[in-house]
């Protein structure tokens, strides 16, 4: 049995010490936990959202399928619809998901099912809280990276992570991994295939049940669920932007030992910069020291939207070498 991954558990304070601790976790594992304490999240508002997720996934397939996932990455995806590791998987992920794009003044910009309709204010508020927390984390990363004051210093990422400045790829996602009987085929099915996330960072809320694993040199390590805490991981875009200093670590979701009969629910907020954001070399000595990699090597800066589009082609080469190796 591989040893559990040891993720740092950090309580957010807006101090240089906290910023350094976050950067250290992001530079090493690329994964960490932050406690609800120190954020707007509480056991109550998170469990209210899990209640909505359960109600939604229990609603009839006929109803959910009126909002199918579309090319804009919003909507419902049923069992085996998404394949996160197409090179290896014979069958799509053993899960369902519902993706919400950004809300505009509290209104969804996508079709919504009747079961979800009464909960829109709660989902919209939760999504906003995730955006606010993500922006705060980005601010702390900028502080720890000692970005030149003339370029914005600790506020370097703020405008690009503010939704009023334009559309972005940010997504609030509800996830449901059903119990594995009777249709789960061991060795063929997986709850979520190996992948890295695409954006700046991801906030992950897990409901009791474990199963998340991260890949390191030693192989796959299970990530134990920490009560009243949010798992934070760095995405490909931020790894690219920082010349690989911050690690976008490959991860997957499996059925934990003895968990075959249990459902698993989680919620992920994928934070992306505004589409038009230019991913230019970051004016930080720490990033410059990474040499000609990622955004440091590009002659012409690409935008966040271009990075997202080209992500698969751009990342498969280094993914074979190991996580986040720009
Ligand atoms: O459900 C989880 O714990 C992780 C899901 C995940 O990695 C993803 O959707 O990108
Ligand atoms: Fe992921």
């Amino acid at each position: 049995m591989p040893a559990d991954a040891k993720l740092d558990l950090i309580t957010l304070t807006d101090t240089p010490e906290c910023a350094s601790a976050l950067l250290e976790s992001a530079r090493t594992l690329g994964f960490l936990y932050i406690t609800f304490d120190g954020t707007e999240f509480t056991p109550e508002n998170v469990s209210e959202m899990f209640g909505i997720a359960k109600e939604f996934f229990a609603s009839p397939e006929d109803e959910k399928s009126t909002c199918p996932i579309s090319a804009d990455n919003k909507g419902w995806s049923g069992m085996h619809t998404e394949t996160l590791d197409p090179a290896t998987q014979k069958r799509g992920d053993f899960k369902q998901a519902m993706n919400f794009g950004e809300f505009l003044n509290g209104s969804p910009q996508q079709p919504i099912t009747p079961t979800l309709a009464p909960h829109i204010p709660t989902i919209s508020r939760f999504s906003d809280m995730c955006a606010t927390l993500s922006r705060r984390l980005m601010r702390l990363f900028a502080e720890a990276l000692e970005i030149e004051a003339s370029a914005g210093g600790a506020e370097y990422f703020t405008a690009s992570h503010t939704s009023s400045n334009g559309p972005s790829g940010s997504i609030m996602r509800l996830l449901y991994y059903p119990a594995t009987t009777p249709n789960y085929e061991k060795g063929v099915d997986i709850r979520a295939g190996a992948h890295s996330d695409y954006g700046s960072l991801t906030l992950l809320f897990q409901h009791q049940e474990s199963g998340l694993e991260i890949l390191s040199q030693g192989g796959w390590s299970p990530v134990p669920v920490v009560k009243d805490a949010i798992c934070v991981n760095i995405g490909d875009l931020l790894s690219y932007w920082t010349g690989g200093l911050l690690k976008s670590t490959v991860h997957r979701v499996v059925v934990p030992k003895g968990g075959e009969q249990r459902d698993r629910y989680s919620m992920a907020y994928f934070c992306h910069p505004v589409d038009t954001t230019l991913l230019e070399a970051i004016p930080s000595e720490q990033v410059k020291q990474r040499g000609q990699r990622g955004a440091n090597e590009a002659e012409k800066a690409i935008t966040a939207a271009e990075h997202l589009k080209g992500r698969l082609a751009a990342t498969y080469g280094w993914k074979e070498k190991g996580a986040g190796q720009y």
Side-chain angles (χ1 to χ4, degrees), residues 82 84 95 173 175 177 192 195-197 202 204-206 211-212 233 251-253 264-268 270:
E82 191 178 64
L84 281 173
K95 72 177 187 210
R173 163 175 258 204
L175 285 146
Y177 306 90
H195 68 283
S196 49
D197 294 345
T202 304
L204 177 71
F205 301 81
Q206 300 162 92
L212 177 67
N233 66 282
H251 53 284
R252 67 180 185 182
V253 180
R264 178 174 191 269
Y265 293 87
S266 67
M267 302 186 288
F270 301 104

Side-chain angles (χ1 to χ4, degrees), residues 237-281:
L237 179 143
L238 190 53
S239 187
Y240 172 85
W241 208 353
T242 57
L245 179 67
L246 271 59
K247 298 290 184 290
S248 174
T249 297
V250 173
H251 53 284
R252 67 180 185 182
V253 180
V254 300
V255 178
K257 216 173 160 40
E260 291 81 3
Q261 312 285 349
R262 293 194 296 266
D263 291 336
R264 178 174 191 269
Y265 293 87
S266 67
M267 302 186 288
Y269 179 77
F270 301 104
C271 168
H272 288 249
V274 167
D275 285 344
T276 51
T277 306
L278 278 178
L279 306 180
E280 294 172 307

Side-chain angles (χ1 to χ4, degrees), residues 154-191:
E155 304 304 330
Y156 182 78
F157 297 116
T158 303
S160 58
H161 289 81
T162 300
S163 64
S164 54
N165 289 329
S168 79
S170 294
I171 292 285
M172 171 81 227
R173 163 175 258 204
L174 312 178
L175 285 146
Y176 167 48
Y177 306 90
T180 61
T181 49
N183 298 321
Y184 187 93
E185 222 182 308
K186 241 185 162 165
V188 173
D189 279 308
I190 184 157
R191 279 184 160 167

Side-chain angles (χ1 to χ4, degrees), residues 40-119:
E40 289 183 273
F41 293 93
T42 62
E44 291 74 28
N45 58 35
V46 172
S47 100
E48 184 183 10
M49 275 297 291
F50 275 120
I52 294 170
K54 283 185 187 175
E55 191 186 338
F56 169 73
F57 288 117
S59 68
E61 296 257 323
D62 281 358
E63 186 187 319
K64 289 182 283 194
S65 57
T66 58
C67 299
I69 190 134
S70 53
D72 62 5
N73 200 25
K74 299 174 194 170
W76 175 69
S77 55
M79 293 295 290
H80 310 297
T81 303
E82 191 178 64
T83 308
L84 281 173
D85 184 11
T88 311
Q89 283 176 252
K90 290 208 199 90
R91 190 143 70 212
D93 294 356
F94 201 88
K95 72 177 187 210
Q96 296 184 30
M98 176 67 198
N99 284 6
F100 299 92
E102 279 165 330
F103 293 80
L104 205 61
N105 301 320
S107 296
Q109 306 299 299
Q110 64 191 91
I112 290 296
T113 70
T115 301
L116 284 173
H119 301 302

